[in-house]
Short mmCIF file of all heavy atoms in Angstrom, two decimals:
data_model
loop_
_atom_site.label_atom_id
_atom_site.label_comp_id
_atom_site.label_asym_id
_atom_site.label_seq_id
_atom_site.Cartn_x
_atom_site.Cartn_y
_atom_site.Cartn_z
N MET A 1 -61.99 -188.19 -3.89
CA MET A 1 -62.26 -186.80 -3.43
C MET A 1 -62.46 -186.82 -1.96
O MET A 1 -62.09 -185.90 -1.26
CB MET A 1 -63.53 -186.30 -4.18
CG MET A 1 -63.70 -184.88 -4.09
SD MET A 1 -62.43 -183.99 -4.83
CE MET A 1 -63.10 -182.38 -5.10
N ASN A 2 -63.02 -187.95 -1.41
CA ASN A 2 -63.20 -188.02 -0.01
C ASN A 2 -61.94 -187.99 0.75
O ASN A 2 -61.85 -187.47 1.88
CB ASN A 2 -64.07 -189.28 0.31
CG ASN A 2 -64.56 -189.26 1.77
OD1 ASN A 2 -64.66 -188.25 2.38
ND2 ASN A 2 -64.87 -190.45 2.25
N LYS A 3 -60.90 -188.61 0.21
CA LYS A 3 -59.56 -188.59 0.82
C LYS A 3 -59.08 -187.16 0.99
O LYS A 3 -58.39 -186.80 2.04
CB LYS A 3 -58.51 -189.46 0.06
CG LYS A 3 -58.81 -190.99 0.21
CD LYS A 3 -57.69 -191.71 -0.58
CE LYS A 3 -57.75 -193.10 -0.37
NZ LYS A 3 -56.67 -193.82 -1.02
N PHE A 4 -59.26 -186.41 0.02
CA PHE A 4 -58.79 -185.03 0.03
C PHE A 4 -59.46 -184.22 1.08
O PHE A 4 -58.77 -183.48 1.90
CB PHE A 4 -58.96 -184.28 -1.41
CG PHE A 4 -58.62 -182.95 -1.41
CD1 PHE A 4 -57.32 -182.53 -1.44
CD2 PHE A 4 -59.61 -181.88 -1.42
CE1 PHE A 4 -56.96 -181.12 -1.47
CE2 PHE A 4 -59.26 -180.57 -1.46
CZ PHE A 4 -57.99 -180.24 -1.43
N PHE A 5 -60.78 -184.31 1.30
CA PHE A 5 -61.46 -183.62 2.28
C PHE A 5 -61.08 -184.15 3.67
O PHE A 5 -60.97 -183.36 4.66
CB PHE A 5 -62.97 -183.60 2.09
CG PHE A 5 -63.47 -182.75 0.91
CD1 PHE A 5 -64.00 -183.29 -0.10
CD2 PHE A 5 -63.25 -181.40 0.92
CE1 PHE A 5 -64.46 -182.50 -1.22
CE2 PHE A 5 -63.61 -180.58 -0.05
CZ PHE A 5 -64.24 -181.11 -1.11
N ASN A 6 -60.86 -185.47 3.79
CA ASN A 6 -60.34 -185.97 5.02
C ASN A 6 -59.01 -185.43 5.32
O ASN A 6 -58.71 -185.10 6.46
CB ASN A 6 -60.38 -187.54 4.94
CG ASN A 6 -60.08 -188.17 6.26
OD1 ASN A 6 -60.46 -187.63 7.27
ND2 ASN A 6 -59.52 -189.35 6.24
N TYR A 7 -58.14 -185.34 4.41
CA TYR A 7 -56.82 -184.78 4.64
C TYR A 7 -56.92 -183.34 5.15
O TYR A 7 -56.22 -182.99 6.10
CB TYR A 7 -56.00 -184.85 3.34
CG TYR A 7 -54.72 -184.06 3.46
CD1 TYR A 7 -53.57 -184.63 4.16
CD2 TYR A 7 -54.53 -182.84 2.89
CE1 TYR A 7 -52.42 -183.97 4.20
CE2 TYR A 7 -53.38 -182.13 2.92
CZ TYR A 7 -52.30 -182.71 3.64
OH TYR A 7 -51.13 -182.02 3.71
N LEU A 8 -57.75 -182.51 4.50
CA LEU A 8 -57.88 -181.17 4.87
C LEU A 8 -58.45 -180.99 6.27
O LEU A 8 -58.01 -180.26 7.13
CB LEU A 8 -58.79 -180.36 3.91
CG LEU A 8 -58.22 -180.03 2.56
CD1 LEU A 8 -59.31 -179.31 1.77
CD2 LEU A 8 -56.99 -179.12 2.73
N SER A 9 -59.41 -181.84 6.65
CA SER A 9 -60.05 -181.87 7.93
C SER A 9 -58.98 -182.25 9.04
O SER A 9 -58.88 -181.61 10.06
CB SER A 9 -61.24 -182.86 7.95
OG SER A 9 -61.57 -183.04 9.30
N GLU A 10 -58.23 -183.27 8.77
CA GLU A 10 -57.19 -183.62 9.71
C GLU A 10 -56.05 -182.59 9.83
O GLU A 10 -55.52 -182.35 10.93
CB GLU A 10 -56.51 -185.01 9.29
CG GLU A 10 -57.49 -186.15 9.45
CD GLU A 10 -56.86 -187.43 8.96
OE1 GLU A 10 -55.67 -187.51 8.55
OE2 GLU A 10 -57.65 -188.45 9.03
N ALA A 11 -55.73 -181.87 8.75
CA ALA A 11 -54.71 -180.89 8.73
C ALA A 11 -55.18 -179.74 9.64
O ALA A 11 -54.41 -179.21 10.44
CB ALA A 11 -54.38 -180.37 7.34
N PHE A 12 -56.40 -179.26 9.43
CA PHE A 12 -56.99 -178.17 10.26
C PHE A 12 -57.11 -178.58 11.77
O PHE A 12 -56.80 -177.77 12.69
CB PHE A 12 -58.35 -177.71 9.79
CG PHE A 12 -58.21 -176.88 8.60
CD1 PHE A 12 -58.79 -177.24 7.37
CD2 PHE A 12 -57.59 -175.62 8.68
CE1 PHE A 12 -58.71 -176.37 6.28
CE2 PHE A 12 -57.55 -174.78 7.58
CZ PHE A 12 -58.07 -175.19 6.43
N GLU A 13 -57.42 -179.88 12.04
CA GLU A 13 -57.47 -180.31 13.43
C GLU A 13 -56.05 -180.30 14.02
O GLU A 13 -55.86 -179.96 15.16
CB GLU A 13 -58.05 -181.67 13.48
CG GLU A 13 -58.22 -182.26 14.80
CD GLU A 13 -59.19 -181.37 15.68
OE1 GLU A 13 -60.18 -180.91 15.15
OE2 GLU A 13 -58.92 -181.25 16.91
N GLU A 14 -55.08 -180.70 13.28
CA GLU A 14 -53.66 -180.65 13.68
C GLU A 14 -53.28 -179.25 14.04
O GLU A 14 -52.64 -179.04 14.98
CB GLU A 14 -52.77 -181.21 12.63
CG GLU A 14 -51.31 -181.29 12.96
CD GLU A 14 -50.94 -182.57 13.72
OE1 GLU A 14 -51.76 -183.52 13.76
OE2 GLU A 14 -49.88 -182.51 14.36
N LEU A 15 -53.61 -178.28 13.18
CA LEU A 15 -53.23 -176.88 13.43
C LEU A 15 -53.89 -176.34 14.68
O LEU A 15 -53.34 -175.53 15.34
CB LEU A 15 -53.64 -176.01 12.18
CG LEU A 15 -52.83 -176.19 10.90
CD1 LEU A 15 -53.44 -175.39 9.83
CD2 LEU A 15 -51.40 -175.63 11.26
N LYS A 16 -55.09 -176.73 14.89
CA LYS A 16 -55.85 -176.26 16.12
C LYS A 16 -55.35 -176.81 17.36
O LYS A 16 -55.32 -176.18 18.38
CB LYS A 16 -57.44 -176.52 15.95
CG LYS A 16 -58.08 -175.61 14.95
CD LYS A 16 -59.60 -175.69 15.09
CE LYS A 16 -60.05 -177.15 15.01
NZ LYS A 16 -61.63 -177.28 14.94
N SER A 17 -55.05 -178.12 17.40
CA SER A 17 -54.74 -178.79 18.63
C SER A 17 -53.24 -178.98 18.95
O SER A 17 -52.84 -179.00 20.12
CB SER A 17 -55.45 -180.09 18.70
OG SER A 17 -54.95 -180.96 17.62
N ASN A 18 -52.47 -179.09 17.97
CA ASN A 18 -51.00 -179.49 18.27
C ASN A 18 -50.03 -178.37 17.98
O ASN A 18 -48.83 -178.61 18.27
CB ASN A 18 -50.64 -180.73 17.47
CG ASN A 18 -51.41 -181.97 17.94
OD1 ASN A 18 -51.95 -181.98 19.07
ND2 ASN A 18 -51.53 -182.95 17.05
N VAL A 19 -50.35 -177.36 17.35
CA VAL A 19 -49.44 -176.27 16.93
C VAL A 19 -49.45 -175.21 18.05
O VAL A 19 -50.45 -174.80 18.54
CB VAL A 19 -49.78 -175.67 15.63
CG1 VAL A 19 -48.91 -174.47 15.33
CG2 VAL A 19 -49.62 -176.75 14.49
N THR A 20 -48.24 -174.87 18.52
CA THR A 20 -48.08 -173.65 19.43
C THR A 20 -47.94 -172.38 18.68
O THR A 20 -46.95 -172.19 17.99
CB THR A 20 -46.90 -173.95 20.39
OG1 THR A 20 -47.08 -175.25 20.98
CG2 THR A 20 -46.76 -172.88 21.44
N TRP A 21 -48.97 -171.55 18.75
CA TRP A 21 -48.83 -170.27 18.06
C TRP A 21 -48.22 -169.27 18.87
O TRP A 21 -48.45 -169.16 20.11
CB TRP A 21 -50.34 -169.92 17.68
CG TRP A 21 -50.96 -170.80 16.77
CD1 TRP A 21 -51.85 -171.84 17.19
CD2 TRP A 21 -50.78 -170.92 15.38
NE1 TRP A 21 -52.21 -172.57 16.00
CE2 TRP A 21 -51.62 -171.97 14.96
CE3 TRP A 21 -50.05 -170.28 14.42
CZ2 TRP A 21 -51.63 -172.40 13.61
CZ3 TRP A 21 -50.04 -170.60 13.16
CH2 TRP A 21 -50.83 -171.70 12.67
N PRO A 22 -47.45 -168.33 18.24
CA PRO A 22 -46.75 -167.24 19.09
C PRO A 22 -47.77 -166.20 19.54
O PRO A 22 -48.87 -166.05 18.98
CB PRO A 22 -45.74 -166.63 18.04
CG PRO A 22 -46.30 -166.97 16.75
CD PRO A 22 -47.05 -168.34 16.91
N GLU A 23 -47.46 -165.42 20.44
CA GLU A 23 -48.22 -164.37 20.95
C GLU A 23 -48.31 -163.30 19.91
O GLU A 23 -47.41 -163.12 19.12
CB GLU A 23 -47.67 -163.79 22.27
CG GLU A 23 -47.65 -164.71 23.44
CD GLU A 23 -49.03 -165.06 23.92
OE1 GLU A 23 -49.94 -164.20 23.86
OE2 GLU A 23 -49.19 -166.22 24.25
N TRP A 24 -49.36 -162.44 19.90
CA TRP A 24 -49.58 -161.50 18.88
C TRP A 24 -48.45 -160.37 19.00
O TRP A 24 -48.07 -159.92 17.91
CB TRP A 24 -50.97 -160.86 19.14
CG TRP A 24 -51.29 -159.73 18.08
CD1 TRP A 24 -51.52 -158.48 18.28
CD2 TRP A 24 -51.38 -159.92 16.70
NE1 TRP A 24 -51.74 -157.80 17.13
CE2 TRP A 24 -51.68 -158.75 16.04
CE3 TRP A 24 -51.33 -161.07 15.78
CZ2 TRP A 24 -51.83 -158.45 14.77
CZ3 TRP A 24 -51.48 -160.86 14.50
CH2 TRP A 24 -51.79 -159.59 13.92
N ALA A 25 -48.01 -160.01 20.04
CA ALA A 25 -46.93 -159.04 20.17
C ALA A 25 -45.66 -159.54 19.49
O ALA A 25 -44.93 -158.77 18.82
CB ALA A 25 -46.67 -158.72 21.69
N GLU A 26 -45.38 -160.75 19.69
CA GLU A 26 -44.16 -161.46 19.03
C GLU A 26 -44.34 -161.39 17.55
O GLU A 26 -43.40 -161.15 16.84
CB GLU A 26 -43.84 -162.77 19.58
CG GLU A 26 -42.64 -163.38 19.09
CD GLU A 26 -42.37 -164.80 19.64
OE1 GLU A 26 -43.26 -165.32 20.24
OE2 GLU A 26 -41.25 -165.32 19.36
N VAL A 27 -45.59 -161.74 17.05
CA VAL A 27 -45.72 -161.72 15.58
C VAL A 27 -45.59 -160.34 15.02
O VAL A 27 -44.94 -160.19 13.99
CB VAL A 27 -47.21 -162.29 15.38
CG1 VAL A 27 -47.60 -162.04 13.88
CG2 VAL A 27 -47.36 -163.72 15.77
N GLN A 28 -46.07 -159.35 15.69
CA GLN A 28 -45.86 -157.93 15.25
C GLN A 28 -44.43 -157.52 15.21
O GLN A 28 -43.93 -156.99 14.24
CB GLN A 28 -46.65 -157.04 16.09
CG GLN A 28 -48.14 -157.12 15.92
CD GLN A 28 -48.88 -156.20 16.89
OE1 GLN A 28 -48.48 -155.99 18.00
NE2 GLN A 28 -49.96 -155.60 16.42
N ARG A 29 -43.68 -157.91 16.31
CA ARG A 29 -42.25 -157.54 16.37
C ARG A 29 -41.51 -158.25 15.29
O ARG A 29 -40.65 -157.58 14.56
CB ARG A 29 -41.71 -157.95 17.82
CG ARG A 29 -40.27 -157.70 17.96
CD ARG A 29 -39.81 -158.04 19.40
NE ARG A 29 -39.87 -159.43 19.60
CZ ARG A 29 -38.98 -160.35 19.18
NH1 ARG A 29 -37.86 -159.94 18.67
NH2 ARG A 29 -39.11 -161.64 19.47
N LEU A 30 -41.67 -159.51 15.03
CA LEU A 30 -41.00 -160.26 14.08
C LEU A 30 -41.32 -159.80 12.68
O LEU A 30 -40.46 -159.74 11.69
CB LEU A 30 -41.15 -161.78 14.13
CG LEU A 30 -40.62 -162.36 15.48
CD1 LEU A 30 -41.07 -163.84 15.59
CD2 LEU A 30 -39.14 -162.25 15.48
N THR A 31 -42.61 -159.42 12.44
CA THR A 31 -43.01 -158.87 11.18
C THR A 31 -42.25 -157.60 10.86
O THR A 31 -41.87 -157.36 9.60
CB THR A 31 -44.54 -158.65 11.18
OG1 THR A 31 -45.24 -159.85 11.38
CG2 THR A 31 -44.93 -158.09 9.78
N ILE A 32 -42.19 -156.71 11.80
CA ILE A 32 -41.45 -155.45 11.64
C ILE A 32 -39.96 -155.75 11.26
O ILE A 32 -39.37 -155.17 10.35
CB ILE A 32 -41.49 -154.58 12.87
CG1 ILE A 32 -43.02 -153.97 12.93
CG2 ILE A 32 -40.57 -153.40 12.80
CD1 ILE A 32 -43.31 -153.34 14.28
N ILE A 33 -39.42 -156.69 11.99
CA ILE A 33 -37.96 -157.03 11.66
C ILE A 33 -37.77 -157.60 10.26
O ILE A 33 -36.91 -157.18 9.50
CB ILE A 33 -37.47 -158.07 12.73
CG1 ILE A 33 -37.35 -157.43 14.10
CG2 ILE A 33 -36.14 -158.72 12.31
CD1 ILE A 33 -37.05 -158.46 15.25
N VAL A 34 -38.70 -158.49 9.82
CA VAL A 34 -38.67 -158.95 8.50
C VAL A 34 -38.82 -157.87 7.45
O VAL A 34 -38.15 -157.86 6.47
CB VAL A 34 -39.67 -160.08 8.22
CG1 VAL A 34 -39.81 -160.42 6.79
CG2 VAL A 34 -39.30 -161.36 9.13
N ALA A 35 -39.72 -156.92 7.76
CA ALA A 35 -39.94 -155.84 6.79
C ALA A 35 -38.75 -154.90 6.67
O ALA A 35 -38.39 -154.55 5.61
CB ALA A 35 -41.18 -154.98 7.23
N VAL A 36 -38.14 -154.62 7.79
CA VAL A 36 -36.97 -153.77 7.77
C VAL A 36 -35.80 -154.43 7.03
O VAL A 36 -35.13 -153.85 6.19
CB VAL A 36 -36.43 -153.42 9.25
CG1 VAL A 36 -35.11 -152.74 9.20
CG2 VAL A 36 -37.52 -152.43 9.85
N PHE A 37 -35.53 -155.71 7.23
CA PHE A 37 -34.49 -156.43 6.59
C PHE A 37 -34.77 -156.61 5.09
O PHE A 37 -33.87 -156.50 4.33
CB PHE A 37 -34.11 -157.70 7.23
CG PHE A 37 -33.20 -157.66 8.42
CD1 PHE A 37 -33.73 -157.65 9.68
CD2 PHE A 37 -31.84 -157.34 8.25
CE1 PHE A 37 -32.83 -157.56 10.82
CE2 PHE A 37 -31.00 -157.19 9.28
CZ PHE A 37 -31.53 -157.36 10.59
N SER A 38 -36.02 -156.67 4.78
CA SER A 38 -36.39 -156.76 3.37
C SER A 38 -36.09 -155.50 2.65
O SER A 38 -35.57 -155.52 1.51
CB SER A 38 -37.91 -157.14 3.24
OG SER A 38 -38.15 -158.46 3.76
N VAL A 39 -36.39 -154.42 3.25
CA VAL A 39 -36.15 -153.18 2.63
C VAL A 39 -34.68 -152.82 2.47
O VAL A 39 -34.12 -152.48 1.47
CB VAL A 39 -36.85 -151.97 3.42
CG1 VAL A 39 -36.30 -150.60 3.00
CG2 VAL A 39 -38.41 -152.03 3.33
N LEU A 40 -33.89 -153.22 3.63
CA LEU A 40 -32.49 -153.09 3.57
C LEU A 40 -31.82 -153.97 2.44
O LEU A 40 -30.89 -153.49 1.68
CB LEU A 40 -31.81 -153.38 4.86
CG LEU A 40 -32.13 -152.45 5.99
CD1 LEU A 40 -31.52 -152.91 7.29
CD2 LEU A 40 -31.47 -151.02 5.69
N LEU A 41 -32.34 -155.16 2.34
CA LEU A 41 -31.78 -156.05 1.29
C LEU A 41 -32.10 -155.58 -0.17
O LEU A 41 -31.28 -155.61 -1.02
CB LEU A 41 -32.27 -157.48 1.44
CG LEU A 41 -31.77 -158.56 0.47
CD1 LEU A 41 -30.28 -158.70 0.60
CD2 LEU A 41 -32.51 -159.82 0.72
N ALA A 42 -33.28 -155.11 -0.30
CA ALA A 42 -33.72 -154.51 -1.60
C ALA A 42 -32.84 -153.25 -1.98
O ALA A 42 -32.45 -153.14 -3.05
CB ALA A 42 -35.23 -154.07 -1.54
N MET A 43 -32.58 -152.46 -0.91
CA MET A 43 -31.67 -151.21 -1.25
C MET A 43 -30.29 -151.71 -1.59
O MET A 43 -29.63 -151.11 -2.46
CB MET A 43 -31.73 -150.34 0.00
CG MET A 43 -33.04 -149.61 0.14
SD MET A 43 -33.20 -148.68 1.70
CE MET A 43 -31.89 -147.53 1.47
N ALA A 44 -29.77 -152.68 -0.88
CA ALA A 44 -28.40 -153.19 -1.14
C ALA A 44 -28.40 -153.81 -2.55
O ALA A 44 -27.38 -153.47 -3.31
CB ALA A 44 -28.01 -154.22 -0.09
N THR A 45 -29.33 -154.54 -2.92
CA THR A 45 -29.37 -155.10 -4.25
C THR A 45 -29.45 -154.14 -5.30
O THR A 45 -28.78 -154.15 -6.41
CB THR A 45 -30.53 -156.10 -4.38
OG1 THR A 45 -30.49 -157.11 -3.39
CG2 THR A 45 -30.67 -156.75 -5.76
N TRP A 46 -30.27 -153.02 -5.05
CA TRP A 46 -30.39 -151.89 -6.06
C TRP A 46 -29.02 -151.21 -6.15
O TRP A 46 -28.61 -150.91 -7.28
CB TRP A 46 -31.47 -150.95 -5.53
CG TRP A 46 -31.53 -149.74 -6.33
CD1 TRP A 46 -32.08 -149.53 -7.68
CD2 TRP A 46 -30.92 -148.42 -6.01
NE1 TRP A 46 -31.82 -148.21 -8.03
CE2 TRP A 46 -31.20 -147.58 -7.08
CE3 TRP A 46 -30.29 -148.03 -4.91
CZ2 TRP A 46 -30.76 -146.24 -7.02
CZ3 TRP A 46 -29.86 -146.68 -4.80
CH2 TRP A 46 -30.07 -145.85 -6.00
N GLY A 47 -28.43 -150.89 -5.08
CA GLY A 47 -27.08 -150.37 -5.09
C GLY A 47 -26.10 -151.06 -5.82
O GLY A 47 -25.32 -150.47 -6.63
N ILE A 48 -25.99 -152.41 -5.58
CA ILE A 48 -25.05 -153.20 -6.29
C ILE A 48 -25.33 -153.23 -7.77
O ILE A 48 -24.48 -153.17 -8.63
CB ILE A 48 -25.10 -154.62 -5.72
CG1 ILE A 48 -24.45 -154.53 -4.36
CG2 ILE A 48 -24.29 -155.64 -6.63
CD1 ILE A 48 -24.60 -155.83 -3.54
N ASP A 49 -26.72 -153.30 -8.17
CA ASP A 49 -27.05 -153.34 -9.54
C ASP A 49 -26.66 -152.05 -10.21
O ASP A 49 -26.12 -152.06 -11.35
CB ASP A 49 -28.57 -153.56 -9.65
CG ASP A 49 -29.00 -153.59 -11.12
OD1 ASP A 49 -28.60 -154.40 -11.87
OD2 ASP A 49 -29.90 -152.78 -11.37
N GLU A 50 -26.94 -150.93 -9.63
CA GLU A 50 -26.53 -149.59 -10.16
C GLU A 50 -25.04 -149.52 -10.36
O GLU A 50 -24.56 -148.98 -11.38
CB GLU A 50 -26.98 -148.44 -9.21
CG GLU A 50 -28.47 -148.20 -9.35
CD GLU A 50 -28.94 -147.58 -10.70
OE1 GLU A 50 -28.17 -146.78 -11.23
OE2 GLU A 50 -29.86 -148.15 -11.21
N PHE A 51 -24.30 -149.96 -9.40
CA PHE A 51 -22.80 -149.92 -9.51
C PHE A 51 -22.24 -150.68 -10.66
O PHE A 51 -21.53 -150.24 -11.37
CB PHE A 51 -22.18 -150.42 -8.17
CG PHE A 51 -20.70 -150.69 -8.20
CD1 PHE A 51 -19.83 -149.57 -8.21
CD2 PHE A 51 -20.11 -152.02 -8.39
CE1 PHE A 51 -18.45 -149.74 -8.30
CE2 PHE A 51 -18.76 -152.17 -8.54
CZ PHE A 51 -18.01 -151.04 -8.42
N PHE A 52 -22.82 -151.88 -10.82
CA PHE A 52 -22.31 -152.70 -11.90
C PHE A 52 -22.87 -152.19 -13.24
O PHE A 52 -22.16 -152.24 -14.23
CB PHE A 52 -22.77 -154.20 -11.67
CG PHE A 52 -21.86 -154.94 -10.82
CD1 PHE A 52 -22.29 -155.33 -9.57
CD2 PHE A 52 -20.51 -155.20 -11.14
CE1 PHE A 52 -21.41 -156.06 -8.62
CE2 PHE A 52 -19.69 -155.82 -10.24
CZ PHE A 52 -20.08 -156.28 -9.05
N ALA A 53 -24.09 -151.70 -13.32
CA ALA A 53 -24.60 -151.15 -14.60
C ALA A 53 -23.68 -149.95 -14.94
O ALA A 53 -23.32 -149.90 -16.16
CB ALA A 53 -26.02 -150.71 -14.37
N LYS A 54 -23.37 -149.03 -14.05
CA LYS A 54 -22.51 -147.93 -14.37
C LYS A 54 -21.10 -148.34 -14.77
O LYS A 54 -20.45 -147.84 -15.66
CB LYS A 54 -22.54 -146.86 -13.30
CG LYS A 54 -23.92 -146.21 -13.27
CD LYS A 54 -23.96 -145.10 -12.16
CE LYS A 54 -25.31 -144.61 -12.16
NZ LYS A 54 -25.51 -143.31 -11.57
N SER A 55 -20.60 -149.32 -14.10
CA SER A 55 -19.24 -149.85 -14.33
C SER A 55 -19.19 -150.50 -15.74
O SER A 55 -18.22 -150.24 -16.47
CB SER A 55 -18.82 -150.94 -13.39
OG SER A 55 -18.79 -150.37 -12.06
N ILE A 56 -20.16 -151.27 -16.10
CA ILE A 56 -20.13 -151.85 -17.45
C ILE A 56 -20.36 -150.80 -18.54
O ILE A 56 -19.67 -150.88 -19.53
CB ILE A 56 -21.34 -152.98 -17.50
CG1 ILE A 56 -20.83 -154.16 -16.61
CG2 ILE A 56 -21.51 -153.45 -18.97
CD1 ILE A 56 -21.90 -155.19 -16.36
N ALA A 57 -21.23 -149.95 -18.26
CA ALA A 57 -21.54 -148.82 -19.22
C ALA A 57 -20.09 -147.97 -19.40
O ALA A 57 -19.83 -147.66 -20.61
CB ALA A 57 -22.55 -147.95 -18.83
N GLY A 58 -19.48 -147.65 -18.35
CA GLY A 58 -18.29 -146.98 -18.41
C GLY A 58 -17.16 -147.74 -19.18
O GLY A 58 -16.41 -147.27 -19.92
N PHE A 59 -17.18 -149.06 -18.89
CA PHE A 59 -16.12 -149.93 -19.59
C PHE A 59 -16.40 -149.99 -21.08
O PHE A 59 -15.45 -149.78 -21.91
CB PHE A 59 -16.26 -151.36 -19.04
CG PHE A 59 -15.32 -152.28 -19.78
CD1 PHE A 59 -13.99 -152.24 -19.59
CD2 PHE A 59 -15.82 -153.27 -20.60
CE1 PHE A 59 -13.15 -153.15 -20.22
CE2 PHE A 59 -15.10 -154.16 -21.19
CZ PHE A 59 -13.70 -154.11 -21.05
N PHE A 60 -17.62 -150.07 -21.55
CA PHE A 60 -17.98 -150.09 -22.95
C PHE A 60 -17.74 -148.67 -23.60
O PHE A 60 -17.35 -148.56 -24.75
CB PHE A 60 -19.35 -150.58 -23.24
CG PHE A 60 -19.42 -152.10 -23.09
CD1 PHE A 60 -20.18 -152.65 -22.14
CD2 PHE A 60 -18.76 -152.84 -23.99
CE1 PHE A 60 -20.28 -154.04 -22.01
CE2 PHE A 60 -18.79 -154.27 -23.79
CZ PHE A 60 -19.57 -154.86 -22.91
N ASN A 61 -18.01 -147.65 -22.82
CA ASN A 61 -17.68 -146.24 -23.40
C ASN A 61 -16.16 -146.08 -23.48
O ASN A 61 -15.77 -145.46 -24.47
CB ASN A 61 -18.29 -145.12 -22.48
CG ASN A 61 -19.75 -145.02 -22.64
OD1 ASN A 61 -20.35 -145.40 -23.61
ND2 ASN A 61 -20.41 -144.55 -21.56
N TRP A 62 -15.43 -146.70 -22.62
CA TRP A 62 -14.01 -146.58 -22.62
C TRP A 62 -13.40 -147.37 -23.89
O TRP A 62 -12.57 -146.99 -24.57
CB TRP A 62 -13.41 -147.22 -21.39
CG TRP A 62 -11.94 -147.28 -21.42
CD1 TRP A 62 -10.99 -146.19 -21.28
CD2 TRP A 62 -11.09 -148.42 -21.49
NE1 TRP A 62 -9.78 -146.69 -21.36
CE2 TRP A 62 -9.79 -148.00 -21.40
CE3 TRP A 62 -11.43 -149.74 -21.56
CZ2 TRP A 62 -8.72 -148.95 -21.47
CZ3 TRP A 62 -10.39 -150.69 -21.63
CH2 TRP A 62 -9.08 -150.26 -21.59
N LEU A 63 -14.08 -148.52 -24.22
CA LEU A 63 -13.72 -149.32 -25.43
C LEU A 63 -14.01 -148.60 -26.71
O LEU A 63 -13.23 -148.77 -27.71
CB LEU A 63 -14.43 -150.64 -25.43
CG LEU A 63 -13.89 -151.75 -24.45
CD1 LEU A 63 -14.76 -152.96 -24.54
CD2 LEU A 63 -12.46 -152.06 -24.67
N LYS A 64 -15.03 -147.80 -26.79
CA LYS A 64 -15.44 -147.09 -27.95
C LYS A 64 -14.49 -145.99 -28.20
O LYS A 64 -14.15 -145.63 -29.44
CB LYS A 64 -16.85 -146.44 -27.83
CG LYS A 64 -17.98 -147.30 -27.96
CD LYS A 64 -19.19 -146.51 -27.98
CE LYS A 64 -20.42 -147.31 -27.65
NZ LYS A 64 -21.61 -146.50 -27.57
N ALA A 65 -13.91 -145.36 -27.15
CA ALA A 65 -13.07 -144.16 -27.36
C ALA A 65 -11.67 -144.57 -27.90
O ALA A 65 -11.23 -145.50 -28.18
CB ALA A 65 -12.85 -143.47 -26.03
#
């Protein structure tokens, strides 16, 4: 158990002393970019799913007729 706490302590020390953190303005800008692309990807996935769902339903309705 002592090894685990030692590992956590060293990890936090590494984060504090050796990691270069971005500026707050850059974090905000990149967060907005990720959010916009996430929404666009979700809408594209929804559109493709709707297209294929209607295509398959139309195909099976055509087979019934």
Side-chain angles (χ1 to χ4, degrees):
M1 195 64 161
N2 193 20
K3 284 185 177 182
F4 176 71
F5 287 118
N6 188 29
Y7 171 77
L8 285 179
S9 173
E10 290 177 5
F12 280 118
E13 185 61 35
E14 183 85 16
L15 286 172
K16 286 192 307 188
S17 61
N18 294 337
V19 173
T20 304
W21 296 98
E23 296 294 322
W24 182 244
E26 184 180 7
V27 171
Q28 288 176 326
R29 181 179 63 83
L30 293 175
T31 301
I32 291 170
I33 290 171
V34 168
V36 167
F37 277 104
S38 295
V39 169
L40 291 174
L41 182 62
M43 289 173 60
T45 303
W46 172 79
I48 292 169
D49 180 57
E50 284 294 314
F51 171 76
F52 281 113
K54 290 184 183 197
S55 297
I56 291 170
F59 176 73
F60 283 115
N61 284 336
W62 176 73
L63 284 178
K64 281 188 202 175

